[in-house]
């Protein structure tokens, strides 16, 4: 089994004299002001939560956009800060963007065009020429920052996600003969079928950008196949479905699946700490919960891909059809607001608020209300307490590359109790068939599944949770990173 230590040894053996540079939009630690004090928090991002333990094990440099209000105050050499702030293990190199650049590149092209384009959730992508221009410009700024860091040395560059689709090509174009640079990119969100992708006016530039990588990774094989089909339909490229390889203008790119994961052992151990029980007691007091209450939880960024209204509608169906649970059932929906300046996010937040209000009005019993909706940046300890106090967890994404909340819930259930209700449309569903799999678009069936979760015998819970824990423990985040690095190294020797 891969551990932080074995990954660290693997990296020093395989990467040898190569620099290891990770690049992403989102940074793993964000510094902000609390009054006059500077503090920091870990953003609610699957990508950063997954990669931070890898960087802690491997060391190296992580280049990302510095988005916190106090980010500039803590850096040295104009952009570097050692992280994790309490126990530094690697360098975070921050890249600065103007508000206009953030608006066009992040809110605009990344999240109003590519995000809805890749997630099939019936939210129309918006393609704005000026956003696209800024997206290109910002990818160039990332390339400058990377090449400055490489400084003609040998480097493995591990690029993350859809914000940086043009980056590999810009890096390779600007670097000269490229024998010193190997790039891999991991696409953390789904890749749609060619029919869907072809509406993007700049699809060729995006595909060319990605094909400059030596290795391109997706969570599941289905997304790799969609990508290869998209290339086959649109470009004069040789697509080898058997070898999972694309050759374009003489350059080969391997396209492979690597299901991302969590640091299972750390979560499982942290779940057993006595401070978690203290926090559970605090939260129960704060929410006025009593011992016999059946507690469910959902933890998400408030995003329209997560199926939050759909899970609320399922809870409505469940309570309507099973009134004996009114007053005895509470669902805690926790999370933080995300991408709030985008209209589609404003709409989904209004819809969630309205549903919570209606359901709480319909099924209130005295002061007891069935839904508690939290919109705050909860500490890691509170999130752990929520996972521990809930006898079931709902992940109801309408479409999701992987979904790490599902794996975090499993990793936290060290006593093999608890039930995971999981959307079939997540990458995680492929690895966790022992969850109760649901179609979030079918509220009645979904409501029935909530009842099934509540009524599941302790023996069945144990059997299912044990199997899921074995899967997540074996396929942990260190295995994911080791698999990517093992593949990357092959490019040096052309194996
Ligand atoms: O984990 C998937 C992901 O899309 C990441 O790409 C992203 O960092 C994360 O969700 C959170 O979104 P944001 O960085 O926009 O807050």
């Amino acid at each position: 089994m891969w551990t932080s230590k074995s990954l660290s040894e693997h990296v020093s053996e395989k990467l040898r004299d190569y620099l290891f540079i990770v690049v992403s939009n989102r940074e793993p630690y964000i510094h902000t002001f609390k009054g006059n004090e500077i503090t920091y928090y870990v953003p609610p991002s699957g990508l950063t939560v997954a990669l931070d333990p890898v960087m802690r094990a491997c060391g190296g440099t992580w280049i990302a956009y510095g988005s916190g209000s106090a980010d500039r105050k803590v850096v040295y050499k104009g952009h570097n800060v050692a992280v994790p702030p309490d126990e530094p293990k690697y360098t975070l190199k921050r890249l600065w963007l103007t508000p206009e650049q953030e608006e066009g590149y992040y809110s605009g092209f990344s999240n109003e065009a590519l995000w809805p384009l890749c997630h099939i959730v019936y939210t129309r992508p918006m393609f704005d020429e000026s956003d696209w221009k800024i997206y290109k410009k910002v990818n160039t700024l990332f390339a400058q920052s990377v090449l400055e860091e490489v400084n003609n040395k040998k480097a493995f560059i591990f690029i993350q996600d859809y914000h940086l689709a043009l980056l590999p090509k810009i890096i390779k174009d600007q670097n000269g003969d490229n024998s010193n640079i190997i790039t891999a990119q991991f696409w953390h969100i789904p890749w749609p079928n060619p029919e869907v992708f072809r509406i993007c006016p700049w699809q060729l530039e995006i595909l060319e950008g990605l094909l400059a990588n030596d290795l391109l990774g997706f969570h599941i094989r289905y997304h790799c196949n969609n990508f290869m089909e998209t290339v086959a339909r649109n470009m004069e490229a040789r697509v080898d479905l058997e070898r999972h390889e694309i050759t374009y203008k003489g350059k080969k790119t391997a396209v492979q699946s690597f299901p991302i994961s969590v640091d299972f052992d750390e979560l499982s151990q942290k779940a057993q700490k006595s401070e978690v029980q203290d926090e559970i007691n605090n939260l129960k007091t704060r929410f006025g919960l009593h011992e016999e209450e059946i507690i469910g939880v959902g933890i998400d960024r408030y995003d329209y891909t997560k199926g939050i209204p759909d899970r609320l509608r399922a809870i409505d169906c469940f309570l309507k059809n099973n009134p004996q649970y009114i007053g005895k059932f509470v669902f805690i929906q926790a999370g933080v607001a995300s991408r709030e300046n985008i209209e589609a996010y404003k709409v989904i937040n209004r819809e969630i608020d309205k549903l919570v209000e209606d359901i709480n009005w319909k099924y209130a019993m005295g002061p007891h209300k069935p839904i508690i909706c939290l919109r705050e940046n909860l500490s890691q300890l509170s999130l752990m307490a929520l996972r521990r106090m809930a006898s079931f967890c709902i992940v109801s994404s309408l479409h999701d590359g992987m979904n790490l909340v599902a794996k975090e819930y499993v990793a936290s259930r060290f006593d093999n109790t608890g039930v995971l209700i999981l959307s079939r449309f997540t990458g995680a569903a492929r690895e966790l068939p022992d969850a109760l799999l649901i179609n979030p678009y079918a509220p009645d069936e979904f409501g029935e599944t909530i009842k099934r979760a509540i009524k599941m015998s302790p023996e069945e819970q144990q059997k299912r949770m044990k199997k899921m824990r074995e899967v997540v423990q074996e396929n942990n985040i260190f295995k994911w990173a080791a698999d990517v690095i093992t593949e990357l190294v092959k490019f040096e020797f052309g194996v």
Side-chain angles (χ1 to χ4, degrees):
M1 192 160 7
W2 283 97
T3 61
S4 166
K5 190 165 175 288
S6 59
L7 176 66
S8 162
E9 287 162 6
H10 184 70
V11 165
S12 11
E13 182 204 327
K14 300 282 179 196
L15 298 192
R16 303 182 317 275
D17 50 343
Y18 275 76
L19 299 173
F20 185 51
I21 302 173
V22 164
V23 198
S24 71
N25 168 67
R26 184 62 65 203
E27 55 181 346
Y29 297 92
I30 302 184
H31 287 89
T32 50
F33 286 106
K34 198 173 179 186
N36 287 331
E37 301 278 294
I38 292 181
T39 174
Y40 73 89
Y41 68 93
V42 173
S45 146
L47 178 163
T48 55
V49 166
L51 273 153
D52 179 59
V54 173
M55 287 301 280
R56 279 191 269 139
C58 305
T61 303
W62 183 334
I63 301 177
Y65 161 47
S67 56
S69 56
D71 273 1
R72 285 175 194 264
K73 297 279 174 202
V74 295
V75 295
Y76 61 93
K77 284 198 194 161
H79 36 62
N80 287 354
V81 55
V83 290
D86 299 332
E87 205 194 353
K89 290 277 191 308
Y90 63 96
T91 304
L92 170 60
K93 181 180 181 195
R94 286 176 168 148
L95 180 131
W96 310 115
L97 297 178
T98 64
E100 294 72 32
Q101 285 169 339
E102 186 190 340
E103 176 63 32
Y105 140 84
Y106 171 76
S107 302
F109 193 71
S110 298
N111 287 318
E112 284 195 290
L114 285 178
W115 179 269
L117 181 69
C118 291
H119 290 92
I120 303 175
V121 295
Y122 310 100
T123 297
R124 185 186 164 138
M126 311 293 273
F127 299 107
D128 182 298
E129 179 100 38
S130 65
D131 288 346
W132 168 242
K133 283 189 181 138
I134 298 174
Y135 181 86
K136 287 203 276 192
K137 169 77 188 157
V138 172
N139 272 248
T140 310
L141 298 178
F142 271 95
Q144 274 163 13
S145 179
V146 169
L147 289 171
E148 180 190 286
E149 195 61 29
V150 171
N151 195 17
N152 296 321
K153 297 192 197 78
K154 296 208 263 181
F156 284 104
I157 300 164
F158 189 17
I159 303 165
Q160 310 301 316
D161 236 346
Y162 59 99
H163 313 84
L164 302 170
L166 308 177
L167 179 60
K169 183 163 187 316
I170 306 172
I171 291 176
K172 299 259 172 108
D173 285 351
Q174 293 187 358
N175 184 53
D177 81 344
N178 285 324
S179 55
N180 61 325
I181 285 187
I182 295 172
T183 68
Q185 185 151 11
F186 193 79
W187 195 262
H188 289 256
I189 61 176
W191 189 279
N193 62 50
E195 271 312 282
V196 170
F197 199 74
R198 71 177 184 167
I199 66 165
C200 177
W202 304 290
Q203 59 165 331
L204 281 182
E205 275 162 277
I206 289 171
L207 294 173
E208 279 198 327
L210 293 172
L211 290 177
N213 281 300
D214 300 289
L215 174 65
L216 180 59
F218 295 92
H219 292 297
I220 57 175
R221 177 116 301 275
Y222 181 61
H223 299 152
C224 296
N225 292 344
N226 279 347
F227 179 79
M228 290 194 285
E229 273 181 46
T230 308
V231 171
R233 292 246 197 124
N234 289 291
M235 306 176 90
E236 287 194 18
R238 198 156 54 78
V239 178
D240 187 333
L241 292 172
E242 270 175 24
R243 295 180 63 121
H244 313 300
E245 233 171 51
I246 298 175
T247 310
Y248 178 63
K249 293 191 177 164
K251 167 151 190 40
K252 266 191 195 146
T253 304
V255 181
Q256 295 189 8
S257 60
F258 304 93
I260 205 166
S261 194
V262 293
D263 184 348
F264 177 92
D265 285 337
E266 184 173 89
L267 283 165
S268 189
Q269 279 156 21
K270 279 194 173 162
Q272 299 175 46
K273 292 202 164 158
S274 61
E275 64 202 51
V276 175
Q277 191 50 50
D278 297 342
E279 182 64 5
I280 291 177
N281 298 340
N282 291 341
L283 291 174
K284 285 193 170 173
T285 313
R286 172 177 167 195
F287 303 137
L289 303 179
H290 52 77
E291 261 329 294
E292 313 78 69
E293 205 126 24
I294 298 160
I295 303 172
V297 73
I299 302 174
D300 312 79
R301 271 185 314 106
Y302 284 96
D303 191 295
Y304 55 80
T305 61
K306 302 294 178 189
I308 300 168
D310 307 82
R311 91 181 55 147
L312 294 170
R313 279 191 279 270
I315 292 171
D316 189 357
C317 285
F318 161 71
L319 290 173
K320 184 177 78 200
N321 296 333
N322 302 281
Q324 69 276 24
Y325 289 105
I326 299 173
K328 298 183 187 131
F329 167 99
V330 69
F331 184 76
I332 306 176
Q333 175 58 52
V336 283
S338 177
R339 309 172 189 170
E340 285 174 290
N341 52 337
I342 298 176
E343 187 53 31
Y345 287 76
K346 291 184 184 144
V347 171
I348 198 75
N349 279 301
R350 283 199 294 268
E351 188 182 356
I352 292 169
D353 286 344
K354 173 90 176 60
L355 278 163
V356 170
E357 201 183 304
D358 287 355
I359 294 170
N360 279 343
W361 178 80
K362 262 201 254 176
Y363 304 108
M365 191 174 257
H368 180 279
K369 295 194 172 102
I371 314 274
I372 296 171
C373 187
L374 305 174
R375 290 174 182 280
E376 56 194 272
N377 214 334
L378 292 166
S379 67
Q380 295 301 317
L381 179 63
S382 302
L383 291 172
M384 179 60 83
L386 286 177
R387 291 193 289 266
R388 287 296 313 152
M389 67 201 258
S391 53
F392 68 97
C393 172
I394 301 183
V395 172
S396 54
S397 310
L398 304 180
H399 199 191
D400 216 329
M402 174 52 68
N403 194 289
L404 293 182
V405 173
K407 292 188 174 181
E408 284 167 344
Y409 182 69
V410 168
S412 309
R413 307 301 301 185
F414 62 87
D415 53 3
N416 294 327
T417 62
V419 181
L420 174 64
I421 299 177
L422 178 61
S423 163
R424 294 179 187 283
F425 312 133
T426 59
R430 316 250 167 159
E431 289 178 89
L432 302 173
D434 285 292
L436 295 183
L437 298 181
I438 48 120
N439 173 355
Y441 290 92
D444 290 286
E445 215 177 281
F446 188 172
E448 274 303 299
T449 309
I450 295 178
K451 183 172 177 193
R452 197 174 151 207
I454 289 174
K455 294 190 69 130
M456 191 183 284
S457 69
E459 293 74 29
E460 189 178 348
Q461 285 187 33
Q462 295 270 337
K463 217 165 100 193
R464 287 172 180 267
M465 189 53 82
K466 198 162 172 290
K467 283 206 213 151
M468 290 193 283
R469 284 176 62 79
E470 279 164 12
V471 170
V472 182
Q473 182 166 33
E474 181 66 35
N475 300 289
N476 62 19
I477 186 62
F478 303 113
K479 177 174 189 303
W480 176 83
D483 286 351
V484 173
I485 288 163
T486 307
E487 277 308 309
L488 258 179
V489 169
K490 291 184 185 165
F491 295 95
E492 192 193 2
F493 306 110
V495 202

